[in-house]
Amino acid sequence: MLPAVSRNAAFTGMRTLSPHIARTSVRCFGSLSSVLRGPNEMRPIASIPDDIARELANSHPVPMRHEFADNPQKITTDVLEKMDIGLGSHHVPTSFSDKLAFRLVKLLRILPDTYFRDDHYMRSVMLETIAAVPGMVGAMQRHLRSLRKMTHDGGFISHLLHEAENERMHLMIWMKCLQPNAWNRLLVLGAQGVFFNAYFLGYMISPRLCHRIAGYLEEEAVISYTHFLDAIDKGIIENKKAPQIALEYYNLHPEASVRDVVVAVRADEALHRDANHLFSDVFSSKQVNLRDQIKEQAEKQGSADEALRECAK
């Protein structure tokens, strides 16, 4: 058991990983201790077991793209600008379900285009509160299916959970740039409630359709963040210093600006776009074990590499 020391001392190791995340965790544990007290009690929370404390201290959000997660050097503006994200990539709808998904997403875009117009910060906040839903819903339903079938999921759950966390981190970043008013918070609450329930029911009926909807939503997100960049480049929006949480999450250079953050977030959205369109295609093919497909690709690539080595001899 950990000694009965202060919360700050107990999480010294966490602060070395990420000061922002450490402060957030300490606040969470502070709130937890107040909940555990009785109505007339002022009893401190019990000591946290070593294994739990170690797991919590070492758990922190990790970026999805390898450019951010695997780069030991600080990410510069030049590196961000050179990232190939397939800007303008679009899945052309051919089947009825694809066309339905495309039209539905275009219909959903009317609200933010009408209400937020050029308020790119608030548009981004609304976008991320919705964009974080599909990954969590998909992961939850795939998790429950795995339990019912008593078989491995095939690789969806971990990716979808990571996607949901990544979108939530986008929201945490933008919340450092503005504070929504009460009406906008109420709008977010209503939109998220409607979208969550609709997506949950839709995923039970057709995961293929829902992943296609998510793919088109991410296409629109890429477009929205491109408009955000244009507004910064034209001087309409001030290109302020990037929030500290963004510097830590994306491993950005110390002088990074909001524009750098928008470029990084847009790159994430492009990854989600490609992943969800891929998942929709996978469900269409009825071959829903991603791990087997990855293994086959690796074997084919290994055979191709071996053939190239033989030719080079």
Side-chain angles (χ1 to χ4, degrees), residues 39-58:
N40 299 313
E41 278 187 282
M42 293 297 292
R43 185 176 65 251
I45 190 171
S47 298
I48 301 173
D50 289 347
D51 287 341
I52 297 176
R54 188 179 301 108
E55 191 274 333
L56 291 172
N58 292 326

mmCIF file of all heavy atoms in Angstrom, residues 39-58:
data_model
loop_
_atom_site.group_PDB
_atom_site.id
_atom_site.type_symbol
_atom_site.label_atom_id
_atom_site.label_comp_id
_atom_site.label_asym_id
_atom_site.label_seq_id
_atom_site.Cartn_x
_atom_site.Cartn_y
_atom_site.Cartn_z
ATOM 1 N N PRO A 39 -22.385 12.073 4.583
ATOM 2 C CA PRO A 39 -22.985 13.405 4.618
ATOM 3 C C PRO A 39 -22.401 14.299 5.703
ATOM 4 O O PRO A 39 -22.333 15.508 5.542
ATOM 5 C CB PRO A 39 -24.472 13.103 4.871
ATOM 6 C CG PRO A 39 -24.506 11.708 5.421
ATOM 7 C CD PRO A 39 -23.347 10.997 4.814
ATOM 8 N N ASN A 40 -21.983 13.722 6.817
ATOM 9 C CA ASN A 40 -21.440 14.530 7.908
ATOM 10 C C ASN A 40 -19.989 14.168 8.218
ATOM 11 O O ASN A 40 -19.500 14.431 9.314
ATOM 12 C CB ASN A 40 -22.306 14.361 9.165
ATOM 13 C CG ASN A 40 -23.727 14.829 8.932
ATOM 14 O OD1 ASN A 40 -23.939 15.910 8.396
ATOM 15 N ND2 ASN A 40 -24.700 14.010 9.336
ATOM 16 N N GLU A 41 -19.336 13.514 7.264
ATOM 17 C CA GLU A 41 -17.974 13.054 7.515
ATOM 18 C C GLU A 41 -16.970 13.895 6.736
ATOM 19 O O GLU A 41 -17.253 14.393 5.662
ATOM 20 C CB GLU A 41 -17.821 11.594 7.068
ATOM 21 C CG GLU A 41 -18.312 10.586 8.081
ATOM 22 C CD GLU A 41 -17.955 9.183 7.622
ATOM 23 O OE1 GLU A 41 -18.646 8.659 6.736
ATOM 24 O OE2 GLU A 41 -16.978 8.628 8.131
ATOM 25 N N MET A 42 -15.786 14.004 7.318
ATOM 26 C CA MET A 42 -14.665 14.627 6.631
ATOM 27 C C MET A 42 -13.511 13.630 6.658
ATOM 28 O O MET A 42 -12.455 13.870 7.219
ATOM 29 C CB MET A 42 -14.274 15.941 7.315
ATOM 30 C CG MET A 42 -15.324 17.033 7.213
ATOM 31 S SD MET A 42 -15.634 17.533 5.508
ATOM 32 C CE MET A 42 -14.082 18.322 5.117
ATOM 33 N N ARG A 43 -13.764 12.434 6.120
ATOM 34 C CA ARG A 43 -12.796 11.358 6.174
ATOM 35 C C ARG A 43 -11.952 11.346 4.908
ATOM 36 O O ARG A 43 -12.496 11.345 3.799
ATOM 37 C CB ARG A 43 -13.525 10.019 6.322
ATOM 38 C CG ARG A 43 -12.582 8.825 6.499
ATOM 39 C CD ARG A 43 -13.370 7.540 6.745
ATOM 40 N NE ARG A 43 -14.177 7.159 5.588
ATOM 41 C CZ ARG A 43 -15.492 7.232 5.561
ATOM 42 N NH1 ARG A 43 -16.164 7.697 6.595
ATOM 43 N NH2 ARG A 43 -16.172 6.855 4.482
ATOM 44 N N PRO A 44 -10.621 11.317 4.990
ATOM 45 C CA PRO A 44 -9.785 11.278 3.786
ATOM 46 C C PRO A 44 -9.937 9.947 3.063
ATOM 47 O O PRO A 44 -10.270 8.932 3.679
ATOM 48 C CB PRO A 44 -8.366 11.445 4.338
ATOM 49 C CG PRO A 44 -8.449 10.939 5.739
ATOM 50 C CD PRO A 44 -9.826 11.312 6.229
ATOM 51 N N ILE A 45 -9.707 9.967 1.772
ATOM 52 C CA ILE A 45 -9.803 8.740 0.987
ATOM 53 C C ILE A 45 -8.728 7.752 1.419
ATOM 54 O O ILE A 45 -7.631 8.135 1.829
ATOM 55 C CB ILE A 45 -9.658 9.055 -0.521
ATOM 56 C CG1 ILE A 45 -9.995 7.821 -1.353
ATOM 57 C CG2 ILE A 45 -8.257 9.545 -0.854
ATOM 58 C CD1 ILE A 45 -10.088 8.119 -2.839
ATOM 59 N N ALA A 46 -9.047 6.464 1.346
ATOM 60 C CA ALA A 46 -8.088 5.432 1.745
ATOM 61 C C ALA A 46 -6.894 5.430 0.804
ATOM 62 O O ALA A 46 -6.971 5.887 -0.332
ATOM 63 C CB ALA A 46 -8.775 4.068 1.730
ATOM 64 N N SER A 47 -5.766 4.908 1.302
ATOM 65 C CA SER A 47 -4.567 4.824 0.477
ATOM 66 C C SER A 47 -4.839 3.989 -0.765
ATOM 67 O O SER A 47 -5.558 2.989 -0.708
ATOM 68 C CB SER A 47 -3.425 4.203 1.282
ATOM 69 O OG SER A 47 -3.102 5.012 2.392
ATOM 70 N N ILE A 48 -4.250 4.398 -1.884
ATOM 71 C CA ILE A 48 -4.467 3.715 -3.158
ATOM 72 C C ILE A 48 -3.438 2.593 -3.305
ATOM 73 O O ILE A 48 -2.235 2.831 -3.169
ATOM 74 C CB ILE A 48 -4.332 4.697 -4.322
ATOM 75 C CG1 ILE A 48 -5.350 5.831 -4.160
ATOM 76 C CG2 ILE A 48 -4.545 3.997 -5.655
ATOM 77 C CD1 ILE A 48 -5.187 6.936 -5.165
ATOM 78 N N PRO A 49 -3.867 1.360 -3.568
ATOM 79 C CA PRO A 49 -2.918 0.246 -3.733
ATOM 80 C C PRO A 49 -1.898 0.541 -4.823
ATOM 81 O O PRO A 49 -2.183 1.241 -5.795
ATOM 82 C CB PRO A 49 -3.828 -0.929 -4.120
ATOM 83 C CG PRO A 49 -5.167 -0.573 -3.558
ATOM 84 C CD PRO A 49 -5.260 0.916 -3.670
ATOM 85 N N ASP A 50 -0.696 -0.014 -4.643
ATOM 86 C CA ASP A 50 0.413 0.267 -5.560
ATOM 87 C C ASP A 50 0.068 -0.020 -7.010
ATOM 88 O O ASP A 50 0.364 0.770 -7.895
ATOM 89 C CB ASP A 50 1.641 -0.562 -5.161
ATOM 90 C CG ASP A 50 2.260 -0.077 -3.867
ATOM 91 O OD1 ASP A 50 1.896 1.032 -3.427
ATOM 92 O OD2 ASP A 50 3.097 -0.798 -3.294
ATOM 93 N N ASP A 51 -0.544 -1.181 -7.270
ATOM 94 C CA ASP A 51 -0.831 -1.555 -8.661
ATOM 95 C C ASP A 51 -1.803 -0.577 -9.317
ATOM 96 O O ASP A 51 -1.658 -0.225 -10.492
ATOM 97 C CB ASP A 51 -1.408 -2.968 -8.725
ATOM 98 C CG ASP A 51 -0.360 -4.035 -8.461
ATOM 99 O OD1 ASP A 51 0.842 -3.716 -8.591
ATOM 100 O OD2 ASP A 51 -0.733 -5.171 -8.114
ATOM 101 N N ILE A 52 -2.812 -0.136 -8.547
ATOM 102 C CA ILE A 52 -3.771 0.816 -9.098
ATOM 103 C C ILE A 52 -3.107 2.160 -9.344
ATOM 104 O O ILE A 52 -3.291 2.794 -10.390
ATOM 105 C CB ILE A 52 -4.977 0.974 -8.147
ATOM 106 C CG1 ILE A 52 -5.715 -0.356 -8.013
ATOM 107 C CG2 ILE A 52 -5.925 2.067 -8.663
ATOM 108 C CD1 ILE A 52 -6.853 -0.324 -7.024
ATOM 109 N N ALA A 53 -2.313 2.615 -8.360
ATOM 110 C CA ALA A 53 -1.625 3.897 -8.510
ATOM 111 C C ALA A 53 -0.664 3.871 -9.695
ATOM 112 O O ALA A 53 -0.569 4.830 -10.463
ATOM 113 C CB ALA A 53 -0.869 4.237 -7.232
ATOM 114 N N ARG A 54 0.042 2.757 -9.870
ATOM 115 C CA ARG A 54 1.002 2.645 -10.972
ATOM 116 C C ARG A 54 0.278 2.674 -12.314
ATOM 117 O O ARG A 54 0.708 3.339 -13.258
ATOM 118 C CB ARG A 54 1.803 1.352 -10.828
ATOM 119 C CG ARG A 54 2.961 1.221 -11.817
ATOM 120 C CD ARG A 54 3.739 -0.069 -11.598
ATOM 121 N NE ARG A 54 4.284 -0.143 -10.247
ATOM 122 C CZ ARG A 54 3.825 -0.968 -9.287
ATOM 123 N NH1 ARG A 54 2.813 -1.780 -9.552
ATOM 124 N NH2 ARG A 54 4.377 -0.978 -8.101
ATOM 125 N N GLU A 55 -0.852 1.954 -12.389
ATOM 126 C CA GLU A 55 -1.601 1.920 -13.643
ATOM 127 C C GLU A 55 -2.156 3.299 -13.985
ATOM 128 O O GLU A 55 -2.085 3.746 -15.129
ATOM 129 C CB GLU A 55 -2.734 0.900 -13.518
ATOM 130 C CG GLU A 55 -3.445 0.569 -14.833
ATOM 131 C CD GLU A 55 -4.562 1.560 -15.136
ATOM 132 O OE1 GLU A 55 -5.119 2.131 -14.172
ATOM 133 O OE2 GLU A 55 -4.868 1.765 -16.317
ATOM 134 N N LEU A 56 -2.692 3.986 -12.988
ATOM 135 C CA LEU A 56 -3.243 5.317 -13.228
ATOM 136 C C LEU A 56 -2.159 6.312 -13.596
ATOM 137 O O LEU A 56 -2.332 7.155 -14.470
ATOM 138 C CB LEU A 56 -3.993 5.802 -11.987
ATOM 139 C CG LEU A 56 -5.298 5.061 -11.654
ATOM 140 C CD1 LEU A 56 -5.824 5.511 -10.294
ATOM 141 C CD2 LEU A 56 -6.343 5.306 -12.729
ATOM 142 N N ALA A 57 -1.013 6.207 -12.931
ATOM 143 C CA ALA A 57 0.078 7.147 -13.188
ATOM 144 C C ALA A 57 0.674 6.957 -14.575
ATOM 145 O O ALA A 57 1.157 7.911 -15.191
ATOM 146 C CB ALA A 57 1.171 6.987 -12.133
ATOM 147 N N ASN A 58 0.629 5.721 -15.075
ATOM 148 C CA ASN A 58 1.237 5.441 -16.378
ATOM 149 C C ASN A 58 0.239 5.477 -17.523
ATOM 150 O O ASN A 58 0.607 5.265 -18.674
ATOM 151 C CB ASN A 58 1.921 4.063 -16.351
ATOM 152 C CG ASN A 58 3.131 4.033 -15.446
ATOM 153 O OD1 ASN A 58 3.841 5.024 -15.325
ATOM 154 N ND2 ASN A 58 3.363 2.905 -14.784
#
